[in-house]
Amino acid sequence: MMFKKIGLFVVIVIVVLIGVMTFNTFTNTADDPIFEVVEMPAIDTNAVAARLSEAVRIKTISTDVGDPPASAEFDQLHLLITSAFPLVHENLKRDVVGDHSLLYSWEGSDTSLPPALLMGHMDVVPVEPGTEGDWEEDAFSGAIKDGKIWGRGTLDDKLSVFAILEAAELQLAAGFKPKRTLYFAFGHDEEIGGENGAGKIADLLEERGVKLAFTLDEGMVIVQGMMPGVEEPIAFIALAEKGYLTLKLTATTEGGHSSIPPKTTAIGKIARAITRLEENRFPAALNSPASDMFDTLAPHMGLPLKAIISNRWLLDPLLVSELGKGGATNAMVRTTTAITITESGTKDNVLPSTATATVNFRLLPDTSIDDVVDHVTKVVDDPDIKISVKQGNEPSRISSKSGEGYQLIEKTIRETLPDVLVSPGLMLAGSDSKHYETIAENSYRFLPMRFGPDDLSRVHGTNERIYIDSYVEIIQFYRRLLENTGG
Ligand SMILES: [Zn+2]
């Protein structure tokens, strides 16, 4: 009798759970804001492509931290900008900051509105030696072929700089006058940390007492076919970027001759530490902004993902463990650990007295550098291993997805790219945005560039190129954003 009662109770619980989960799944419908599509006036595509192509030919390469900047090339790029965008030059105030970075100020008529700042960077990474021949068109040719512009900077990030300037030039020609003050900030050393460029521009604005409503920088893009369960292209507006930390682990033991070895050498100790770190990863957790992304996209997903995300109150552990299994989704839910360099030993028969391992971590927004050092100290648990910080910056703060800037960016995407879904996101790499955190209420990282599955490898890699159609869409986006933000 008792068993029958328990059996009935279990059946009722299961039926209720299935009912609740089904209800949650089918009532989880998109409440995306609806905006009318805005047709922007046509653009002279050949002319804009030619200007970006010319910029690509100028080798504004950042090599390593501490190396002198490519001064002559930056001067040449500044000259190109001045001559290609005469109305911008005439109407906007221009400051050269940190020798080679540019800050443009477009004064608004209403000083009570907090200004907005659009960003891009003028430097590019070098081509990896030995891969020059793998390019279909030379990396600094700026070749225009088959509807594409080829070369370094066409995806990262001269296109942002030139698209913003094209948009401003067109708006000036149309007689547009912003109410809100707009800044354009173009750094020259983003690829090596941005200290002298974006860092100094932010200092200058701070000195002038500027408080920004928001900044918009490169970062996430429009992707299609990369998010499981969603067919439409998705524009990800990153609300935060992960932190960056490199630790060096050094094991020290007695050296000597290998004929009388101790039980463990320095190499053995480092090997043990590496194994422990790989076996004791940071726990996975689905927190903001990655959780905002899944919550926003769930209504657009197919089953079973939609059902799982709509019932996170019950199924979160299942979702997190699936996401944490590997690849990009793992990086969204975890502070990642990557052993990148090991060094030790010189001779077959000599015991090494030291061995080192370099470990690179990417920190979720809720994890600090101190948290990582504590975790590593605890996991390695070896007094003979010294742990030191080689390089690091904390994760960014998380900007608001209900902030004015986010709303303006989303509206502009929906007006100019109506086939695209919009979602908050977490940027896995770093950008110049961090330098402005103290003077900006919110920082967003998004460039409306359409990425296919093979495009990510072109950024900093071989065969970087952009479709002219995509570049034109980006210019139209900025053009409308100037109207919406400055309006
Ligand atoms: Zn970049």
Side-chain angles (χ1 to χ4, degrees), residues 161-177:
V161 175
F162 273 65
I164 292 168
L165 289 165
E166 295 284 359
E169 187 78 6
L170 287 163
Q171 290 297 10
L172 284 161
F176 175 71
K177 289 191 172 72

Side-chain angles (χ1 to χ4, degrees), residues 155-339:
L155 301 176
D156 180 14
D157 181 43
K158 280 179 178 163
L159 85 154
S160 296
V161 175
F162 273 65
I164 292 168
L165 289 165
E166 295 284 359
E169 187 78 6
L170 287 163
Q171 290 297 10
L172 284 161
F176 175 71
K177 289 191 172 72
K179 285 201 194 85
R180 181 198 301 271
T181 294
L182 301 168
Y183 292 104
F184 307 147
F186 305 135
H188 73 276
D189 61 346
E190 191 273 346
E191 298 293 0
I192 48 171
E195 297 296 333
N196 289 317
K200 290 202 169 141
I201 295 175
D203 290 346
L204 176 68
L205 290 172
E206 194 166 14
E207 269 167 45
R208 291 180 184 168
V210 174
K211 280 273 172 221
L212 300 165
F214 70 96
T215 62
L216 175 62
D217 193 6
E218 62 165 349
M220 296 184 85
V221 294
I222 300 170
V223 299
Q224 190 163 18
M226 285 159 34
M227 176 55 105
V230 186
E231 279 164 25
E232 297 97 322
I234 312 162
F236 286 108
I237 305 171
L239 303 180
E241 62 189 68
K242 288 182 94 175
Y244 184 102
L245 175 66
T246 304
L247 293 183
K248 190 166 182 180
L249 275 52
T250 308
T252 313
T253 51
E254 290 261 309
H257 198 275
S258 66
S259 57
I260 323 166
K263 207 171 144 212
T264 316
T265 66
I267 295 177
K269 283 198 166 278
I270 278 293
R272 180 173 163 277
I274 291 173
T275 308
R276 283 179 160 248
L277 283 175
E278 290 193 334
E279 282 173 358
N280 294 279
R281 294 189 295 170
F282 284 81
L286 187 52
N287 294 322
S288 181
S291 55
D292 300 318
M293 177 183 88
F294 286 104
D295 292 341
T296 305
L297 292 174
H300 302 280
M301 288 177 170
L303 294 169
L305 259 179
K306 182 178 174 181
I308 295 171
I309 297 168
S310 305
N311 290 284
R312 281 187 48 207
W313 61 277
L314 181 67
L315 301 176
D316 215 42
L318 177 71
L319 178 63
V320 170
S321 103
E322 275 306 307
L323 296 172
K325 280 190 177 154
T329 56
N330 177 51
M332 275 180 229
V333 295
R334 201 189 297 277
T335 291
T336 53
T337 306
I339 321 292

